[in-house]
Amino acid sequence: VSFNEIDSALSSLKNCQSFINSGMDVATQVALDLVESCNDEEDVNNMEKVMLEYATMDRELNHYIKAFEETVNQVKREKPENLPDLENLAHEKFLEMESMNSDSDLQRNEKYTYFKDQLKEMKKQYHGNDTIEQIDEDIAVTRSQMNFICPITQVTMKRPVRNKVCGHIYEEDAILEMIQTQKQKKKKVRCPKMGCSHVDVKGSDLVRDDILKRMIDSQKKQ
């Protein structure tokens, strides 16, 4: 039995995930724009609802793909004389997975978690306690500018990424190049931030820091 058509269909479905990811990225940027422009809180909340809708679609698509892959693999292993109704078998697996859904699944969606974290930081930047921030503006500005410098390149970052493990920030291209170089030598990468004890920086631990990028871009315009 040839499963080429099924594999091709699954490949197309997986491509749909990239559209969902792009939609979530756009929704995140729109929400950050709304906070930055001091827009109505209701508009920001609406963007969060959009993110949850995307997270729901992502979960459903993942379940559908997984159900079909498991069904096909099962049939390939068992090699029955008569090919069963793959669509019905996959649909049953899909419904079984969907029956175990919970709201916490959506809260754990990586892009939704990123959205919440970035939104929280953005609100802190733009709606924080102004009185405290103004106690020593010079120190605050100096500290911000220091945070703009990549510990690897020692120049102002253009595309900052944050390490989820230790919280330190680097220029994306610089840290990825470091990881790739050490990987070829079969060595781990120590966090290049002075004094950090994290000794195994991985590409999968890096997330974009849109808040810092906005601050850097704003600084350049001034």
Side-chain angles (χ1 to χ4, degrees):
V1 178
S2 174
F3 291 96
N4 289 342
E5 289 185 14
I6 294 175
D7 290 339
S8 176
L10 286 174
S11 179
S12 297
L13 282 176
K14 288 175 182 177
N15 286 335
C16 291
Q17 287 177 310
S18 65
F19 296 123
I20 292 175
N21 287 334
S22 296
M24 295 181 94
D25 287 340
V26 171
T28 299
Q29 294 302 321
V30 170
L32 295 180
D33 286 339
L34 290 171
V35 174
E36 190 173 359
S37 61
C38 300
N39 218 304
D40 192 342
E41 184 70 19
E42 186 179 345
D43 291 334
V44 178
N45 290 338
N46 284 335
M47 293 316 300
E48 183 169 354
K49 291 176 183 175
V50 170
M51 288 295 289
L52 286 171
E53 287 174 9
Y54 272 124
T56 303
M57 283 191 284
D58 186 57
R59 179 179 63 187
E60 186 174 327
L61 185 58
N62 280 327
H63 283 169
Y64 196 76
I65 291 171
K66 188 177 179 182
F68 253 101
E69 285 180 337
E70 287 184 1
T71 302
V72 169
N73 288 335
Q74 181 183 339
V75 171
K76 284 180 178 178
R77 280 196 312 270
E78 296 174 359
K79 297 178 181 177
E81 290 183 17
N82 298 314
L83 187 65
D85 189 329
L86 292 177
E87 188 173 348
N88 275 342
L89 284 176
H91 189 63
E92 285 175 13
K93 282 185 184 289
F94 170 74
L95 292 179
E96 184 182 343
M97 292 176 188
E98 286 286 293
S99 69
M100 294 185 284
N101 286 345
S102 69
D103 290 341
S104 61
D105 296 340
L106 304 181
Q107 304 292 331
R108 288 194 298 269
N109 179 281
E110 189 173 344
K111 284 195 175 286
Y112 177 74
T113 302
Y114 177 78
F115 168 86
K116 293 290 286 183
D117 289 344
Q118 291 286 288
L119 208 56
K120 182 180 177 182
E121 285 300 314
M122 196 70 165
K123 287 179 178 179
K124 199 186 297 180
Q125 290 289 336
Y126 285 88
H127 307 304
N129 191 322
D130 294 335
T131 308
I132 293 174
E133 287 175 4
Q134 289 168 3
I135 290 175
D136 197 331
E137 192 173 330
D138 290 338
I139 291 177
V141 170
T142 303
R143 188 182 298 129
S144 293
Q145 288 173 338
M146 283 175 64
N147 289 337
F148 296 168
I149 304 299
C150 171
I152 305 168
T153 64
Q154 294 302 311
V155 297
T156 301
M157 291 177 280
K158 295 178 181 178
R159 297 176 63 184
V161 289
R162 183 184 299 274
N163 190 325
K164 291 186 290 185
V165 178
C166 62
H168 291 127
I169 303 166
Y170 334 98
E171 177 65 52
E172 184 177 29
D173 289 343
I175 189 64
L176 290 178
E177 183 180 345
M178 183 180 283
I179 291 171
Q180 184 60 32
T181 300
Q182 291 299 89
K183 185 178 179 181
Q184 289 172 353
K185 297 177 182 177
K186 296 183 178 178
K187 292 182 179 179
K188 293 180 179 179
V189 176
R190 172 183 281 276
C191 174
K193 185 73 173 178
M194 190 178 293
C196 183
S197 59
H198 183 45
V199 295
D200 190 12
V201 180
K202 298 174 182 174
S204 57
D205 293 330
L206 305 175
V207 292
R208 292 193 328 269
D209 194 317
D210 287 327
I211 305 299
L212 186 60
K213 186 178 187 309
R214 284 167 180 262
M215 290 172 66
I216 293 170
D217 292 344
S218 176
Q219 185 75 19
K220 287 178 182 176
K221 293 175 184 175
Q222 291 177 8

